[in-house]
Amino acid sequence: MGILEKKSMAGRLLLFLLAVSAATADEDVFIGVNIGTDLSDMPHPTQVVALLKAQQIRHVRLYDADRAMLVALANTGIKVMISVPNEQILGIGQSNATAANWVSQNVVAHYPATNITAIAVGSEVLTTLPNAAKILVNALKYIQSALVASNLDRQIKVSTPLSSSIILDSFPPSQAFFNRSLNPVLVPMLSFLQSTGSFLMLNIYPYYDYMQSNGVIPLDYALLKSLPPNKEAIDSNTLLHYANVFDAVVDAAYYAMAFLNFTNVPIIVTESGWPSKGDSNEPDATLENANTYNSNLIRHVLNKTGTPKHPGLAVSTFIYELYNEDTKPGPVSEKNWGLFDANGTPIYILRLTGSGAVLANDTTNQTFCTIKDGADPKMLQAALDWACGPGKVDCSALLQGQPCYEPDDVAAHATYAFDTYYHQMGMTSASCDFNGVATITTTDPSHGSCIFPGSLGKNGSIANITAPSLNSTSVDSSSYDFHSDAFKSILLILGVVLGSAVFL
């Protein structure tokens, strides 16, 4: 464990629904996703955001504060954790002015349109950049001071992701403690987190714990599989039963903090996952195991199971990661922690049926937005005009000579526009109404070469969904041959109804 921005996870198709919680502004537990960028063909920020919205992902962590990405995330409601890259730690930790400038450019310039909720100062600095460790707390304090000066300290938390490898003697958890050589940094850091109401950011990788255990840790215990009581590990001091590595490490961190007299700093897991492919010496890096781990982890977190030490107190977790990173150095597994490939094609379908608030939009439950039987043609035309105009749907596929031009009738064209808008807006029921002429269906309306957003198509890959550009209206309605009589009056109604129906 303990490698910068180390792992990622896989997820097939609408797998991501991890959408986490029932998405309310004050949700208390969530599943998020890390977005690494070591791809030879990194998708455009608007495509990344479209994928997030289609998968109902409402929490993301960036490994930097890329301006284009922050602009694309604006006005989506998606909660964003941005990062101070490791290479900037020394500069920020030695200069209050440098920290203030960083916050001005990367936070103040985007907030509140972009819903920045946390700043991760570096990543696993204590284990990857030991020369920067002594000024890490200064960096945290300087960033915090800049937020205070901008009146943003209550809205945005500051912390730094730590590798769980700094926890020694992690089992039994009740005997765990942090590497004592790090105490000169950890004690003031925990004091800072406690005084600012922030949280301990922890990267937990049961995959590496399992790989490095030389057979001591059973695979099922690492994968969060259900175990009979006689197979669970027992903390001999507390008699608490542990059914998986994840909970044991979380509790070990709580006990390690308590050993330093910090008992009220919450934990958030900033990275966790399982690779879907590995080298010959990594036989357990498989699609099946990645699916099992991530599916079990998402259910475990969102069902608010908690840990043996803190039952019912779920630990919000960011899965590593959104995309497979094909240019990442290292073994094959390093390139295969993603849930999707660069085209937005899921690596595998997460098994999330029955996980409560999670929206398990897999291939057995894929939904589309289509016209209602018997819908009035004039109403359809007005709704089509709205979708391709104010609704900012890219209707270029409906132009003559394009894949979805045929059949050239309002019903077919409206279905394409409705479904595209529905997926752009996160597939909420409110985004598939269009003044009563649309309905949600599980029947894929794709035909011929006209592949609808969300369709698996003939090759099983999800159709690419591109969000409208922030500075364009996509296809102007004037470029499409709309021939409606009742457009203006009905559009006015649609504008009111749909204007309040946007999901994100």
Side-chain angles (χ1 to χ4, degrees), residues 476-497:
D476 192 296
S477 59
S478 63
S479 67
Y480 184 74
D481 182 21
F482 296 124
H483 34 279
S484 154
D485 296 327
F487 168 67
K488 290 185 179 180
S489 60
I490 299 178
L491 178 58
L492 181 61
I493 299 172
L494 285 170
V496 174
V497 174

Side-chain angles (χ1 to χ4, degrees), residues 396-457:
S396 58
L398 301 177
L399 298 175
Q400 190 167 5
Q402 297 304 307
C404 298
Y405 175 71
E406 297 289 349
D408 180 19
D409 61 59
V410 67
H413 288 192
T415 294
Y416 179 86
F418 292 176
D419 187 61
T420 303
Y421 182 84
Y422 172 64
H423 281 85
Q424 271 182 198
M425 294 299 108
M427 296 187 295
T428 61
S429 57
S431 63
C432 182
D433 180 74
F434 292 90
N435 209 28
V437 296
T439 186
I440 295 173
T441 179
T442 57
T443 301
D444 186 349
S446 301
H447 51 89
S449 60
C450 180
I451 306 302
F452 278 52
S455 170
L456 289 179

Side-chain angles (χ1 to χ4, degrees), residues 14-33:
L14 296 173
L15 72 188
F16 235 79
L17 45 176
L18 66 135
V20 60
S21 58
T24 59
D26 59 349
E27 63 195 285
D28 58 352
V29 60
F30 63 82
I31 285 285
V33 60

Side-chain angles (χ1 to χ4, degrees), residues 329-352:
V332 171
S333 61
E334 280 300 295
K335 310 173 191 297
N336 290 281
W337 292 76
L339 293 162
F340 297 88
D341 66 17
N343 294 321
T345 302
I347 305 302
Y348 51 79
I349 305 284
L350 288 177
R351 297 185 286 260
L352 295 172

Side-chain angles (χ1 to χ4, degrees), residues 1-9 33-39 42 61-66 81-87 120-129 160-164 202-205 208 270-275 318-338:
M1 300 178 41
I3 293 183
L4 174 61
E5 170 190 51
K6 182 122 199 163
K7 322 53 192 192
S8 81
M9 280 77 250
V33 60
N34 290 276
I35 304 178
T37 57
D38 288 337
L39 285 75
M42 182 67 194
R61 175 186 171 214
L62 309 179
Y63 286 95
D64 50 25
D66 181 72
M81 179 188 295
I82 60 174
S83 302
V84 176
N86 279 6
E87 59 268 23
V121 180
S123 179
E124 301 187 346
V125 174
L126 299 184
T127 47
T128 61
L129 280 180
T160 183
L162 304 175
S163 166
S164 60
L202 194 63
N203 294 345
I204 299 178
Y205 287 100
Y208 290 107
T270 34
E271 293 179 16
S272 193
W274 198 282
F318 288 86
I319 290 185
Y320 192 90
E321 64 180 334
L322 186 62
Y323 296 111
N324 272 342
E325 295 185 274
D326 63 315
T327 63
K328 206 164 181 62
V332 171
S333 61
E334 280 300 295
K335 310 173 191 297
N336 290 281
W337 292 76

Side-chain angles (χ1 to χ4, degrees), residues 198-464:
S198 190
F199 31 73
L200 181 75
M201 295 179 175
L202 194 63
N203 294 345
I204 299 178
Y205 287 100
Y207 173 74
Y208 290 107
D209 291 332
Y210 165 74
M211 289 286 290
Q212 296 163 9
S213 74
N214 295 317
V216 173
I217 295 177
L219 181 60
D220 287 357
Y221 185 70
L223 292 172
L224 285 95
K225 286 190 174 181
S226 296
L227 300 177
N230 65 336
K231 296 290 185 181
E232 295 176 343
I234 302 175
D235 186 322
S236 58
N237 299 312
T238 62
L239 300 183
L240 293 175
H241 287 233
Y242 286 86
N244 60 75
V245 173
F246 184 86
D247 284 351
V249 175
V250 170
D251 276 359
Y254 278 124
Y255 281 110
M257 285 194 286
F259 188 82
L260 297 177
N261 296 316
F262 293 94
T263 57
N264 58 351
V265 177
I267 292 174
I268 184 172
V269 175
T270 34
E271 293 179 16
S272 193
W274 198 282
S276 60
K277 180 190 272 189
D279 287 322
S280 58
N281 64 341
E282 298 179 291
D284 296 298
T286 66
L287 282 172
E288 175 62 25
N289 287 343
N291 192 343
T292 297
Y293 180 81
N294 288 323
S295 297
N296 288 342
L297 176 63
I298 292 170
R299 278 196 298 268
H300 185 59
V301 171
L302 296 185
N303 289 348
K304 303 182 181 180
T305 306
T307 66
K309 178 174 171 57
H310 295 295
L313 181 62
V315 178
S316 293
T317 299
F318 288 86
I319 290 185
Y320 192 90
E321 64 180 334
L322 186 62
Y323 296 111
N324 272 342
E325 295 185 274
D326 63 315
T327 63
K328 206 164 181 62
V332 171
S333 61
E334 280 300 295
K335 310 173 191 297
N336 290 281
W337 292 76
L339 293 162
F340 297 88
D341 66 17
N343 294 321
T345 302
I347 305 302
Y348 51 79
I349 305 284
L350 288 177
R351 297 185 286 260
L352 295 172
T353 303
S355 49
V358 176
L359 305 173
N361 296 319
D362 60 24
T363 51
T364 63
N365 190 33
Q366 176 66 325
T367 57
F368 303 86
C369 181
T370 187
I371 65 169
K372 279 186 178 179
D373 290 340
D376 181 82
K378 290 185 178 180
M379 293 285 284
L380 287 177
Q381 184 67 59
L384 172 59
D385 292 352
W386 183 90
C388 295
K392 297 186 177 181
V393 169
D394 182 354
C395 293
S396 58
L398 301 177
L399 298 175
Q400 190 167 5
Q402 297 304 307
C404 298
Y405 175 71
E406 297 289 349
D408 180 19
D409 61 59
V410 67
H413 288 192
T415 294
Y416 179 86
F418 292 176
D419 187 61
T420 303
Y421 182 84
Y422 172 64
H423 281 85
Q424 271 182 198
M425 294 299 108
M427 296 187 295
T428 61
S429 57
S431 63
C432 182
D433 180 74
F434 292 90
N435 209 28
V437 296
T439 186
I440 295 173
T441 179
T442 57
T443 301
D444 186 349
S446 301
H447 51 89
S449 60
C450 180
I451 306 302
F452 278 52
S455 170
L456 289 179
K458 294 179 180 178
N459 62 358
S461 63
I462 190 170
N464 196 21

